Amino acid sequence: MTDALPWKTAWVTGASTGIGRDIVLQLKAAGVNVAASARSAEKLSALGPDIVTIPLDVTDAAACHAAVERIESELGPLDLVVFGAGTYAPVAVDSIDPKLFAHTMNTNYMGVVNCLAAVAPRMLARGSGHISWIASVAGFLGLPKAAAYGPTKAALINLAESLEPEMKLKGVRISVINPGFVATPLTAQNDFEMPFLMQPDEAARRTIAGLVAGRFEIAYPRRFVAILRTLRALPYPLFFRLITRFVLKDK
Ligand SMILES: NC(=O)c1ccc[n+]([C@@H]2O[C@H](COP(=O)([O-])OP(=O)(O)OC[C@H]3O[C@@H](n4cnc5c(N)ncnc54)[C@H](OP(=O)(O)O)[C@@H]3O)[C@@H](O)[C@H]2O)c1
């Protein structure tokens, strides 16, 4: 990535591995001053010396405020934030564990809300900035095993839709990133063949390109997104028949 990007400073959460890590490295390579957060200070330190690393658990609302305070005092006003911290664990229908559901919602959804609450007032006061978060194509529709994860991502898409119009009137841009399957530690636990699997550096490239283009929704890969949207639009009897046949592989 060599073209100048429209941001001077950025903050990325979920930056120690996977998609977030590659977003950080590509933003930095393009000359953006980047702050990177995740819980693991050790993994963050592997990002290199020119990146401001702020270890943070996004479920801690006060720590999110302190992180933004520190980043803006070190780097100056944030132009772009990408909230990518997230967790996933498959759910078997015969072991519904409320603790797992609460943990997933607290990390994936409230983690974004906590970071949003810390950064939005500052951007609104300045009348500028871009706030983006990583949801998922799993937020489009209910998928087997994703009973704890999917609802958190559907909530994140709804959150972005809900905030975008008023934020835009006040000069702050909101966008939502919906990747398909990406080869990261999060998906390494999947015991099935993941269709249209993408590498994290390619996911990061598409994310940054979508952010630069100013799209509200950045969804990829295109063919997988189109298949899932088509499935979503089907009447439920057909929708469930196709899911049972092609996802559960049960004729
Ligand atoms: N991979 C996919 O196929 C895919 C598809 C669609 C959407 N996504 C979404 O993309 C985002 C990035 O996922 P990934 O695939 O790149 O997975 P990943 O490599 O496992 O990255 C997850 C990141 O979130 C951080 N994290 C987890 N819990 C946290 C917490 N409580 N506070 C702060 N940071 C936390 C992790 O670092 P620490 O453990 O050090 O905290 C790590 O940096 C997630 O929101 C995921 O749901 C992934």
Side-chain angles (χ1 to χ4, degrees):
M1 190 150 315
T2 49
D3 290 351
L5 295 179
W7 316 288
K8 275 197 192 133
T9 55
W11 177 37
V12 181
T13 72
S16 60
T17 56
I19 304 168
R21 176 181 176 279
D22 277 289
I23 291 174
V24 165
L25 295 176
Q26 290 178 25
L27 288 175
K28 187 69 209 173
V32 180
N33 291 320
V34 192
S37 290
R39 289 165 303 179
S40 165
E42 196 188 331
K43 284 189 204 150
L44 286 174
S45 68
L47 287 167
D50 298 334
I51 287 158
V52 173
T53 58
I54 313 276
L56 171 69
D57 184 333
V58 294
T59 65
D60 181 340
C64 293
H65 277 275
V68 173
E69 180 81 49
R70 194 178 140 198
I71 293 164
E72 293 213 332
S73 68
E74 282 189 34
L75 292 181
L78 281 163
D79 304 313
L80 170 72
V81 295
V82 181
F83 301 143
T87 185
Y88 164 75
V91 170
V93 288
D94 55 1
S95 58
I96 305 281
D97 176 4
K99 282 203 198 93
L100 170 67
F101 281 63
H103 169 70
T104 311
M105 189 58 88
N106 208 19
T107 304
N108 295 3
Y109 181 71
M110 287 310 300
V112 166
V113 172
N114 289 337
C115 294
L116 174 68
V119 87
R122 291 164 179 263
M123 288 189 174
L124 287 168
R126 295 193 284 266
S128 68
H130 188 153
I131 304 174
S132 191
W133 48 82
I134 307 183
S136 168
V137 297
F140 294 172
L141 68 179
L143 289 167
K145 298 189 182 171
Y149 180 79
T152 71
K153 298 301 187 174
L156 286 174
I157 294 170
N158 192 296
L159 177 70
E161 291 169 354
S162 167
L163 294 175
E164 198 275 348
E166 275 175 276
M167 288 281 199
K168 190 176 188 177
L169 287 176
K170 294 174 189 292
V172 176
R173 180 161 267 167
I174 297 284
S175 59
V176 63
I177 302 151
N178 292 322
F181 287 111
V182 183
T184 68
L186 185 133
T187 49
Q189 62 188 309
N190 284 343
D191 59 359
F192 55 89
E193 198 180 317
M194 292 176 270
F196 301 95
L197 184 66
M198 187 181 274
Q199 293 306 309
D201 59 334
E202 180 58 20
R205 252 190 300 281
R206 292 196 195 199
T207 298
I208 293 170
L211 292 169
V212 170
R215 289 207 292 277
F216 168 71
E217 189 200 33
I218 301 157
Y220 50 78
R222 238 183 253 167
R223 274 200 298 159
F224 191 42
V225 168
I227 290 168
L228 294 177
R229 286 202 196 289
T230 306
L231 258 178
R232 168 72 292 169
L234 295 174
Y236 277 126
L238 184 54
F239 171 82
F240 289 129
R241 213 174 324 138
L242 291 172
I243 293 284
T244 305
R245 170 129 187 224
F246 293 106
V247 182
L248 298 182
K249 314 265 188 215
D250 190 348
K251 313 283 180 218

